[in-house]
Amino acid sequence: MPVQRRIRRVKTVQIETNSPIHRSGQVLEPGNWEEYDPFLLLMEDIFERGTFDFHPHRGIETVTYVIDGQLEHFDSKAGHGTLGPGDVQWMTAGKGVIHKEDPVRGTTVHSLQLWINLPSAQKMAEPRYQNLKAEDMPVRQEDGALIRVFSGSSQGVKAPTLNHVPVTMVEMILDPGASVVQDLPGSYNGFLYILEGSGTFGADATEGKAGQVLFLSRAENEPESELTVTAKEKLRVLLYAGEPINEPVVAYGPFVMNTQEEIRQAIRDYQEGKFTE
């Protein structure tokens, strides 16, 4: 029998005003590397055009989920594209990219951006973009429930998404009273973020509502685990879970490496224009 995951901690995300065109909240705050491994941070942003300028990344993947609005992306490797509500961009920065995200002119975007750490062997991987349109992703359907699989799998429904670090990312949309069970490898560390509605989660039926992040109990010594989700009212929730890397983390802004010297090299490479080669 798979071990039943519990909710070990619940946190309510605080949305703060940074400027007249940008509000944000820390779903996963940076610095808690060991607790969140393989995830580094997750930001919720509500922003207008001009909030973010071109900026570099190295040593990580960024996973951007558009809650609402139309988001344009521009970068040094893959050109330009647009994401709409429910779409995801899975960007492998690897050895280095320079990119920018901007709402379509005259609009506001509400998004989530997750940073996933890359293991030392993949930190200098070739950059890669996977634009995951909601309408194209595999779907698992049950009574009163739709589970969209952006990465990993859900009860045998698998996404074609390529991963350097094994990650399951699913969106669950449940009608009131509906219940689903999500399978996860026991080694995975993970959390849920509730976008809409409320429900109960895990073996203890822990209550959660929109704007809360729920952290899963660990099950490292078990091969398989399960998480039960039940909707009290119409529920929309994202589940992220992944294989911990268990390596040192040294972060400097958008660069995440294993040592200070690797950070210094990243800064030099960026200053010398190597991120656009």
Side-chain angles (χ1 to χ4, degrees):
M1 283 287 291
V3 65
Q4 300 301 305
R5 296 280 189 128
R6 292 177 163 78
I7 303 304
R8 61 178 178 82
R9 181 161 73 91
V10 177
K11 176 181 121 176
T12 300
V13 176
Q14 303 297 323
I15 302 294
E16 299 180 348
T17 299
N18 305 309
S19 78
I21 60 171
H22 183 213
R23 294 184 292 141
S24 68
Q26 294 185 344
V27 181
L28 301 186
E29 67 283 2
N32 288 343
W33 314 129
E34 188 174 347
E35 182 183 356
Y36 300 152
D37 189 12
F39 308 115
L40 297 161
L41 64 84
L42 175 57
M43 294 297 298
E44 180 170 5
D45 292 292
I46 303 160
F47 61 108
E48 298 175 25
R49 196 173 182 89
T51 299
F52 300 111
D53 205 344
F54 282 99
H55 56 280
H57 287 291
R58 172 178 279 184
I60 64 171
E61 295 186 300
T62 67
V63 179
T64 305
Y65 175 92
V66 179
I67 299 170
D68 196 30
Q70 296 286 327
L71 182 65
E72 294 183 296
H73 55 90
F74 315 82
D75 62 83
S76 57
K77 302 288 183 182
H80 164 261
T82 304
L83 302 172
D87 294 343
V88 169
Q89 183 183 77
W90 202 290
M91 181 186 83
T92 304
K95 68 180 185 180
V97 297
I98 300 173
H99 81 143
K100 174 183 180 180
E101 299 112 340
D102 236 352
V104 169
R105 193 172 301 278
T107 68
T108 299
V109 163
H110 186 184
S111 68
L112 295 170
Q113 187 171 95
L114 175 72
W115 290 14
I116 303 172
N117 198 12
L118 285 172
S120 56
Q122 271 83 49
K123 283 199 177 291
M124 297 296 283
E126 286 298 320
R128 177 173 69 196
Y129 285 80
Q130 299 175 84
N131 289 314
L132 311 177
K133 297 285 190 175
E135 62 197 30
D136 298 332
M137 304 315 295
V139 167
R140 170 186 157 207
Q141 287 189 287
E142 297 187 4
D143 286 346
L146 183 149
I147 300 168
R148 184 169 284 109
V149 186
F150 285 104
S151 180
S153 65
S154 183
Q155 301 291 13
V157 177
K158 296 184 178 180
T161 308
L162 303 174
N163 296 136
H164 286 296
V165 177
V167 170
T168 291
M169 177 187 174
V170 298
E171 175 188 31
M172 302 178 182
I173 302 171
L174 277 65
D175 292 337
S179 186
V180 296
V181 175
Q182 170 68 37
D183 53 309
L184 291 171
S187 58
Y188 279 23
N189 185 28
F191 63 96
L192 300 139
Y193 189 50
I194 305 173
L195 299 178
E196 297 174 20
S198 63
T200 60
F201 303 84
D204 298 330
T206 302
E207 294 194 359
K209 61 184 180 180
Q212 291 185 325
V213 54
L214 287 69
F215 297 94
L216 305 185
S217 63
R218 298 291 188 108
E220 301 104 319
N221 299 321
E222 302 290 339
E224 298 296 332
S225 70
E226 291 181 342
L227 174 72
T228 301
V229 175
T230 303
K232 281 187 154 183
E233 52 187 345
K234 178 82 173 182
L235 180 67
R236 183 179 172 203
V237 60
L238 291 170
L239 166 69
Y240 301 89
E243 186 74 49
I245 294 170
N246 298 313
E247 290 182 356
V249 174
V250 180
Y252 181 79
F255 306 141
V256 183
M257 304 300 288
N258 297 107
T259 68
Q260 288 287 355
E261 177 49 39
E262 289 171 342
I263 292 291
R264 286 191 285 271
Q265 185 64 52
I267 295 169
R268 285 195 295 270
D269 288 349
Y270 173 59
Q271 290 172 339
E272 292 170 9
K274 294 181 179 177
F275 280 34
T276 56
E277 293 176 353

